[in-house]
Amino acid sequence: MTKRALASIAIAMALSAGLPNISWADTIKIANVIELSGAGATVGSNWRDALKLAFEEINAAGGILGEQVEVTDYDTQTDPTTSRAMVQKAIDDGAYVIMGPIYSGSVKVNMMVAQQNGVPQLTGAEAPFITDMGNPYIFRTSFGAQQSMPKLVKYLTEEMKVKSVAVAWVNDDFGKGGRDSFVAELEKNGIAVNADVSSEVGQADFAADVIKLKSSNADAIFAYLHEEESARLLKEIRKQGVTQPIFGETTLMNQKVVDLAGEAVNGVRGHVGLSANAPIPGIEEFAKKFEAKYSYKPDHNAIKAYMGAYVVKYVTTKNGKADRQAFADALHGLTITPADEPGILMETSWDDKGEVNRESFLVEVKDGKQTVVSTLPKL
Amino acid sequence: MNTFFQLFVSGLATGSIYALAAIGFTLLWQASQTINFAQGEFIMLPAFFVLAGTQFLGLSFPVAMAIAVVLSLLLLGLGFKRIIIDPLLPHGVLPIVIATIALGILMKEGVKQFYTAEALPFPALFSDRTLNVLGAAISVQDIAVLLIALGAVALLQLFLNGTKIGRCMQATAQNPNVAEILGVPVRRMILYTFLINAGLAFLASVLISPIYLAKFSNGETLGLIAFIAAIVGGFNQIRGALAGGLLLGVIDNLSAAYVSASYRSAVPLILLIIIILVRPQGLLGKAEGRTV
């Protein structure tokens, strides 16, 4: 082999080593690393469908910076180890931005892979630790539990006059993070925790859990579980004739829980970061489009994904290039309003840790429909 | 005391569904030395037959249920025997074990791929009201599930002991060679056993799906618990499988409430180990001699 050939190979290798930060020529590749099977299939399907809808709209309107967006789905199977492998595969495939996953336990192990490779990641996870790990490439699309729980506890103390609570939570990173934030907030406000009942992901039988919650004689029950488990818990609560009021945070009032639990979910109240029934014109329009395309009502995960897609569009267009580092730098401390980008649906800000901030809602489920009771301001 | 009583009744209701699946294990073992490791998926699938009937064919719920019964008997009874068990039976138990594990995976992944990976609501068969029994709130659904499952087992026992076909099935189970010499149509008796197992799986499916929701992965836990229940109770006795199922249902509830929810799934396995060490034939089973 000649010296010239060797030099050519060396130059090619040097160029390919620098690939992560070069601009993309033909298409912009978005990796959707999400729960499409396993316990999280419900939330992942909502996320995937909304993301597809958003990028179809973006591509139909000319794409981003004149480039078409190519979205590839990677199924985490709701398994942290698989999710890590999928993030690595997505990066190997040349992903510009990673969307997802939603389960905090998965994000905990795969966000480091994205960080090491300098790839921005827009997650739907809500566990508090996600944005406390000093990762400059992670961004939330929804509130962390540490932001939403104070709003809910304020409602419980000031409006519902609750003095004691029985807490049901799922024993994973999402549930533990939410439970800890909620209990800490209760303690600050002098509210007693009469029962602290943990359950497992995918648990089918909630008879014993409900008997413990019921016999605690607390003023109210707070449930913080994933959608399917929430539905099973609520069905069991109704089956056992529990009369205490039931409160939750986002997942408990999710449309999927309403679909699965039927009448058992009526009367449940709580705080949601996003709601398809929110009196926000952008969200109302999105919900109509989503339902027309997929024949089912979107949940908050769908709204998160839809907004996330338009965040990618707005920030990349603002930067004038599809550059991973420039994307991460630009999103820290950024506020996007619907006037800037209609697809963002409502004004949203990100802080220097990637934490999201926007208005949120207190809702009650009435006749199988999430009804917004009041809108809470940005923090 | 009220809490204990509620846990006990609720555990009996769940346990009676485990018992239906466990009885299926014992029936197939007795009739044809078949261990069906797809039993959990046999319980998962009929609910999807019903849902497919209502969602895709627009059938009313009772009609969809009727069609699902027929489909269950044809596919999980007749089809299972003819396509998988009959060709493999001459080769011993191990190929059947492996084949049924593969069948279970195929059924689970098939539902996930071609139907949905998400949980689906399944219509409740009974009222969600509660009754006050001795000061404890007991749900009508729990009582109905318990009565139907126990009623089905009682009918099965009556059929096996009180009818000519039932006695022929028992003769086939005890010694197929002698039964054949005596003129018992052994092959038909074995087929009846498979059909009964499919019927029990259908019943368990429509009783448990309104509570657990219909999901492709439901069979994983159900199959394992039913298998443990059959061993704990006695693999060669229907009453043993019934006792094993009820016992596991109650122990599961009590351990979740009084020990730890995190370790509840370990309790059946601990019980299994104890039974194997102390009474290998199961609580109500009979020790079987094996020639070398």
Side-chain angles (χ1 to χ4, degrees):
Chain A
M1 196 179 283
T2 63
K3 280 184 183 175
R4 186 173 290 178
L6 282 171
S8 303
I9 292 168
I11 290 167
M13 287 175 72
L15 281 174
S16 54
L19 264 181
N21 283 326
I22 66 167
S23 296
W24 271 253
D26 301 313
T27 57
I28 292 176
K29 292 184 177 179
I30 301 295
N32 182 31
V33 182
I34 202 72
E35 294 82 0
L36 296 177
S37 59
T42 301
V43 294
S45 302
N46 258 275
W47 174 284
R48 176 202 54 200
D49 290 346
L51 199 72
K52 193 175 166 201
L53 173 65
F55 279 118
E56 278 175 4
E57 288 174 0
I58 290 169
N59 280 337
I64 300 175
L65 301 173
E67 310 289 353
Q68 289 290 291
V69 180
E70 181 187 334
V71 184
T72 307
D73 293 334
Y74 299 85
D75 182 9
T76 69
Q77 300 171 21
T78 324
D79 172 50
T81 312
T82 308
S83 82
R84 187 183 168 93
M86 290 296 111
V87 164
Q88 186 61 59
K89 186 169 190 309
I91 293 167
D92 294 344
D93 290 345
Y96 163 53
V97 172
I98 292 170
M99 305 295 296
I102 294 172
Y103 272 50
S104 303
S106 293
V107 178
K108 187 182 187 178
V109 296
N110 67 41
M111 65 191 269
M112 284 174 234
V113 180
Q115 182 183 2
Q116 283 158 8
N117 289 275
V119 182
Q121 185 174 10
L122 272 66
T123 175
E126 297 183 359
F129 64 80
I130 298 289
T131 46
D132 287 339
M133 296 172 76
N135 180 346
Y137 297 95
I138 195 82
F139 299 92
R140 284 194 205 273
T141 52
S142 56
F143 288 131
Q146 79 283 10
Q147 288 176 293
S148 47
M149 294 306 176
K151 291 184 173 187
L152 176 62
V153 173
K154 190 174 177 209
Y155 173 66
L156 289 177
T157 48
E158 293 179 4
E159 296 195 34
M160 301 310 297
K161 311 292 181 197
V162 164
K163 301 284 179 208
S164 60
V165 177
V167 183
W169 51 284
V170 60
N171 193 7
D172 66 358
D173 287 302
F174 159 81
K176 182 88 170 57
R179 178 257 173 215
D180 290 349
S181 299
F182 183 71
V183 170
E185 206 59 34
L186 289 180
E187 284 168 358
K188 266 192 228 166
N189 288 273
I191 299 176
V193 178
N194 281 18
D196 194 16
V197 182
S198 70
S199 54
E200 297 304 308
V201 176
Q203 184 172 314
D205 192 338
F206 282 89
D209 307 64
V210 171
I211 289 169
K212 280 159 87 174
L213 295 171
K214 187 180 170 185
S215 56
S216 71
N217 292 320
D219 291 344
I221 292 171
F222 170 74
Y224 197 64
L225 301 93
H226 298 293
E227 282 78 357
E228 281 178 21
E229 293 84 351
S230 292
R232 292 185 186 115
L233 177 80
L234 288 173
K235 282 166 91 83
E236 188 64 38
I237 281 175
R238 296 304 177 210
K239 199 177 94 178
Q240 293 193 23
V242 174
T243 53
Q244 290 122 308
I246 300 151
F247 296 90
E249 210 294 311
T250 301
T251 51
L252 194 69
M253 289 76 61
N254 186 342
Q255 186 58 45
K256 189 66 193 179
V257 179
V258 174
D259 294 342
L260 289 174
E263 290 185 5
V265 75
N266 284 336
V268 169
R269 282 167 277 180
H271 172 261
V272 296
L274 293 164
S275 167
N277 297 307
I280 305 278
I283 291 181
E284 286 169 349
E285 194 191 335
F286 159 74
K288 274 186 202 162
K289 282 190 289 190
F290 186 96
E291 206 169 338
K293 185 172 171 66
Y294 297 112
S295 304
Y296 73 94
K297 288 181 184 170
D299 72 357
H300 67 285
N301 295 296
I303 306 172
K304 290 191 293 196
Y306 187 83
M307 288 171 148
Y310 277 97
V311 169
V312 173
K313 182 195 170 202
Y314 178 79
V315 174
T316 309
T317 306
K318 184 169 176 281
N319 288 338
K321 55 183 175 179
D323 182 278
R324 292 163 168 171
Q325 189 59 50
F327 183 97
D329 292 343
L331 192 49
H332 284 125
L334 184 69
T335 294
I336 308 175
T337 68
D340 300 327
E341 171 51 71
I344 199 70
L345 305 180
M346 56 192 289
E347 184 179 307
T348 309
S349 306
W350 284 263
D351 68 9
D352 56 350
K353 295 197 298 181
E355 199 71 63
V356 79
N357 191 6
R358 61 165 83 93
E359 288 180 334
S360 58
F361 312 94
L362 285 173
V363 298
E364 179 176 354
V365 180
K366 291 177 183 170
D367 299 323
K369 195 180 170 197
Q370 206 183 73
T371 309
V372 175
V373 177
S374 63
T375 303
L376 305 175
K378 282 173 86 173
L379 289 168
Chain B
M1 190 60 198
N2 284 349
T3 303
F4 179 84
F5 186 56
Q6 282 181 55
L7 287 166
F8 185 76
V9 174
S10 170
L12 282 180
T14 317
S16 65
I17 299 173
Y18 297 156
L20 291 178
I23 288 169
F25 269 116
T26 63
L27 282 176
L28 295 193
W29 174 252
Q30 288 289 84
S32 62
Q33 305 286 293
T34 298
I35 300 178
N36 178 21
F37 277 107
Q39 187 78 349
E41 280 67 34
F42 274 39
I43 298 168
M44 172 275 294
L45 197 60
F48 283 94
F49 290 157
V50 177
L51 291 175
T54 55
Q55 290 179 348
F56 297 129
L57 303 177
L59 302 172
S60 66
F61 184 64
V63 175
M65 288 273 277
I67 290 175
V69 175
V70 177
L71 275 177
S72 299
L73 293 176
L74 284 176
L75 293 176
L76 306 179
L78 182 65
F80 175 53
K81 179 180 180 295
R82 291 275 160 83
I83 298 167
I84 294 181
I85 301 303
D86 284 350
L88 291 175
L89 204 52
H91 303 288
V93 175
L94 195 58
I96 291 177
V97 167
I98 293 167
T100 54
I101 289 172
L103 177 66
I105 294 170
L106 184 72
M107 290 165 74
K108 191 172 70 173
E109 295 301 317
V111 170
K112 187 170 104 180
Q113 188 68 31
F114 297 111
Y115 204 113
T116 179
E118 296 182 39
L120 295 174
F122 192 87
L125 302 178
F126 314 104
S127 157
D128 60 358
R129 286 189 307 116
T130 54
L131 298 176
N132 192 315
V133 182
L134 304 172
I138 305 295
S139 85
V140 170
Q141 196 173 11
D142 278 349
I143 295 170
V145 165
L146 184 59
L147 290 178
I148 287 181
L150 293 184
V153 177
L155 277 177
L156 179 63
Q157 284 284 30
L158 206 63
F159 172 73
L160 291 176
N161 296 325
T163 66
K164 189 181 171 190
I165 294 175
R167 283 194 292 273
C168 288
M169 287 172 71
Q170 288 197 58
T172 304
Q174 282 165 18
N175 193 326
N177 294 331
V178 175
E180 196 153 27
I181 291 166
L182 293 172
V184 173
V186 168
R187 292 171 71 86
R188 200 191 305 161
M189 294 305 119
I190 293 174
L191 174 63
Y192 290 161
T193 313
F194 277 75
L195 292 176
I196 290 171
N197 178 51
L200 291 176
F202 171 82
L203 187 60
S205 185
V206 297
L207 289 178
I208 204 147
S209 297
I211 305 165
Y212 284 14
L213 305 173
K215 191 168 184 184
F216 74 95
S217 56
N218 277 0
E220 292 168 6
T221 316
L222 284 172
L224 178 66
I225 294 184
F227 184 63
I228 294 172
I231 293 177
V232 166
F235 215 78
N236 51 16
Q237 291 290 322
I238 287 179
R239 64 173 190 274
L242 175 65
L246 295 176
L247 184 66
L248 279 187
V250 172
I251 285 180
D252 182 49
N253 255 9
L254 295 179
S255 57
Y258 296 119
V259 184
S260 161
S262 306
Y263 295 108
R264 69 190 297 178
S265 53
V267 174
L269 295 168
I270 294 169
L271 186 65
L272 175 70
I273 292 167
I274 294 170
I275 289 291
I276 287 174
L277 289 174
V278 178
R279 193 175 162 79
Q281 70 270 36
L283 293 174
L284 303 176
K286 289 177 184 165
E288 284 182 4
R290 286 270 184 266
T291 52
V292 180

